[in-house]
Amino acid sequence: QVQLVESGGGLVQAGGSLRLSCAASGRTFSSYAIAWFRQAPGKKREFVAAINWNGGYTNYADSVKGRFTISRDNAKNTVYLQMNSLRPEDTAVYYCAADQSRLVVVTSPGYWGQGTQVTVSS
Protein backbone atom coordinates (compact mmCIF):
# COMPACT_ATOMS: atom_id res chain seq x y z
CA GLN A 1 0.00 0.00 0.00
CA VAL A 2 1.16 3.56 -0.64
CA GLN A 3 -0.04 6.93 0.61
CA LEU A 4 0.46 10.05 -1.50
CA VAL A 5 0.70 13.73 -0.51
CA GLU A 6 0.94 16.50 -3.11
CA SER A 7 2.49 19.92 -2.55
CA GLY A 8 3.80 22.87 -4.52
CA GLY A 9 0.58 24.29 -5.91
CA GLY A 10 -0.20 27.97 -5.87
CA LEU A 11 -0.99 31.07 -7.87
CA VAL A 12 1.24 31.97 -10.81
CA GLN A 13 0.99 34.32 -13.78
CA ALA A 14 0.66 32.98 -17.31
CA GLY A 15 4.06 32.05 -18.68
CA GLY A 16 5.38 31.21 -15.23
CA SER A 17 6.50 27.93 -13.69
CA LEU A 18 5.65 25.71 -10.75
CA ARG A 19 7.02 22.41 -9.52
CA LEU A 20 4.62 20.00 -7.90
CA SER A 21 5.82 17.25 -5.59
CA CYS A 22 4.18 13.96 -4.72
CA ALA A 23 5.63 12.44 -1.58
CA ALA A 24 4.85 8.80 -0.95
CA SER A 25 5.00 6.62 2.11
CA GLY A 26 5.71 2.92 1.98
CA ARG A 27 8.79 0.83 1.49
CA THR A 28 7.68 -0.35 -1.95
CA PHE A 29 7.34 3.10 -3.55
CA SER A 30 9.99 2.30 -6.13
CA SER A 31 7.82 -0.51 -7.51
CA TYR A 32 4.95 1.84 -8.36
CA ALA A 33 4.24 3.79 -11.51
CA ILE A 34 3.05 7.31 -10.75
CA ALA A 35 0.75 9.58 -12.71
CA TRP A 36 -0.48 13.13 -12.44
CA PHE A 37 -4.07 14.02 -13.21
CA ARG A 38 -5.93 17.31 -13.01
CA GLN A 39 -9.50 18.45 -12.66
CA ALA A 40 -10.72 21.91 -13.53
CA PRO A 41 -14.03 23.26 -12.20
CA GLY A 42 -16.94 21.73 -14.05
CA LYS A 43 -14.73 19.36 -16.02
CA LYS A 44 -13.82 15.71 -15.78
CA ARG A 45 -10.53 14.64 -14.28
CA GLU A 46 -7.92 14.23 -17.02
CA PHE A 47 -4.59 12.51 -17.35
CA VAL A 48 -1.52 14.79 -17.42
CA ALA A 49 1.66 12.69 -17.20
CA ALA A 50 2.98 9.36 -15.98
CA ILE A 51 6.30 7.74 -15.15
CA ASN A 52 7.21 4.12 -14.65
CA TRP A 53 8.94 2.65 -11.61
CA ASN A 54 12.50 3.59 -12.56
CA GLY A 55 11.89 6.70 -14.64
CA GLY A 56 12.76 4.97 -17.87
CA TYR A 57 9.34 5.51 -19.38
CA THR A 58 7.26 8.67 -19.40
CA ASN A 59 3.98 9.58 -21.02
CA TYR A 60 2.29 12.97 -21.45
CA ALA A 61 -1.03 14.35 -22.51
CA ASP A 62 -0.79 16.26 -25.78
CA SER A 63 -1.89 19.45 -24.03
CA VAL A 64 1.24 19.53 -21.83
CA LYS A 65 3.91 18.00 -24.06
CA GLY A 66 6.97 20.21 -24.26
CA ARG A 67 5.88 22.27 -21.23
CA PHE A 68 5.62 19.76 -18.38
CA THR A 69 8.23 17.25 -17.22
CA ILE A 70 7.63 14.36 -14.85
CA SER A 71 10.51 12.86 -12.89
CA ARG A 72 11.11 10.81 -9.77
CA ASP A 73 13.65 10.33 -7.02
CA ASN A 74 13.11 6.90 -5.50
CA ALA A 75 15.66 7.61 -2.76
CA LYS A 76 13.35 10.41 -1.58
CA ASN A 77 10.08 8.58 -2.36
CA THR A 78 9.04 11.60 -4.41
CA VAL A 79 7.75 12.30 -7.90
CA TYR A 80 7.88 15.76 -9.40
CA LEU A 81 5.92 17.60 -12.07
CA GLN A 82 7.82 20.58 -13.43
CA MET A 83 5.35 22.88 -15.16
CA ASN A 84 6.68 25.61 -17.43
CA SER A 85 4.99 28.11 -19.74
CA LEU A 86 1.82 27.82 -17.72
CA ARG A 87 -1.48 28.90 -19.25
CA PRO A 88 -4.78 29.90 -17.67
CA GLU A 89 -6.26 26.65 -18.99
CA ASP A 90 -3.80 24.73 -16.79
CA THR A 91 -5.76 25.95 -13.76
CA ALA A 92 -7.01 22.89 -11.89
CA VAL A 93 -6.60 20.71 -8.86
CA TYR A 94 -3.65 18.43 -9.55
CA TYR A 95 -3.62 14.90 -8.17
CA CYS A 96 -0.91 12.29 -8.10
CA ALA A 97 -1.83 8.65 -8.32
CA ALA A 98 -0.04 5.32 -8.07
CA ASP A 99 -0.38 1.83 -9.40
CA GLN A 100 1.99 -1.07 -9.86
CA SER A 101 1.13 -1.15 -13.56
CA ARG A 102 2.25 1.69 -15.82
CA LEU A 103 -0.64 0.79 -18.10
CA VAL A 104 -3.29 0.92 -15.39
CA VAL A 105 -1.90 4.07 -13.74
CA VAL A 106 -2.96 6.23 -16.68
CA THR A 107 -6.59 5.08 -16.55
CA SER A 108 -7.64 3.71 -13.16
CA PRO A 109 -4.85 3.89 -10.58
CA GLY A 110 -5.41 2.24 -7.24
CA TYR A 111 -4.10 5.04 -5.00
CA TRP A 112 -4.73 8.79 -5.03
CA GLY A 113 -3.47 11.83 -3.21
CA GLN A 114 -5.70 14.61 -1.92
CA GLY A 115 -4.75 17.14 -4.60
CA THR A 116 -3.11 20.55 -4.76
CA GLN A 117 -4.59 23.66 -6.37
CA VAL A 118 -2.81 25.34 -9.28
CA THR A 119 -4.17 28.68 -10.46
CA VAL A 120 -2.74 30.46 -13.49
CA SER A 121 -3.78 34.07 -13.94
CA SER A 122 -3.88 35.77 -17.33
Side-chain angles (χ1 to χ4, degrees):
Q1 192 168 358
V2 62
Q3 294 181 323
L4 306 169
V5 178
E6 303 93 335
S7 62
L11 174 64
V12 64
Q13 289 189 329
S17 297
L18 282 175
R19 189 177 79 160
L20 305 183
S21 298
C22 174
S25 63
R27 292 175 291 176
T28 59
F29 170 77
S30 61
S31 68
Y32 284 84
I34 304 293
W36 287 95
F37 290 79
R38 66 186 181 186
Q39 187 167 19
K43 295 189 176 181
K44 293 182 179 179
R45 188 175 298 182
E46 64 175 0
F47 167 76
V48 175
I51 190 166
N52 76 329
W53 69 277
N54 67 353
Y57 173 84
T58 58
N59 186 18
Y60 297 92
D62 288 343
S63 58
V64 306
K65 279 181 183 176
R67 300 188 298 123
F68 291 11
T69 302
I70 189 170
S71 62
R72 68 189 296 158
D73 185 341
N74 285 343
K76 296 182 178 179
N77 278 15
T78 302
V79 170
Y80 305 99
L81 185 68
Q82 178 66 45
M83 306 186 296
N84 299 329
S85 303
L86 283 161
R87 305 166 179 168
E89 54 264 38
D90 295 317
T91 295
V93 177
Y94 283 70
Y95 300 88
C96 68
D99 200 276
Q100 291 192 309
S101 167
R102 70 174 176 85
L103 299 178
V104 173
V105 77
V106 300
T107 56
S108 55
Y111 303 97
W112 291 88
Q114 84 289 347
T116 186
Q117 175 71 46
V118 171
T119 303
V120 184
S121 63
S122 57

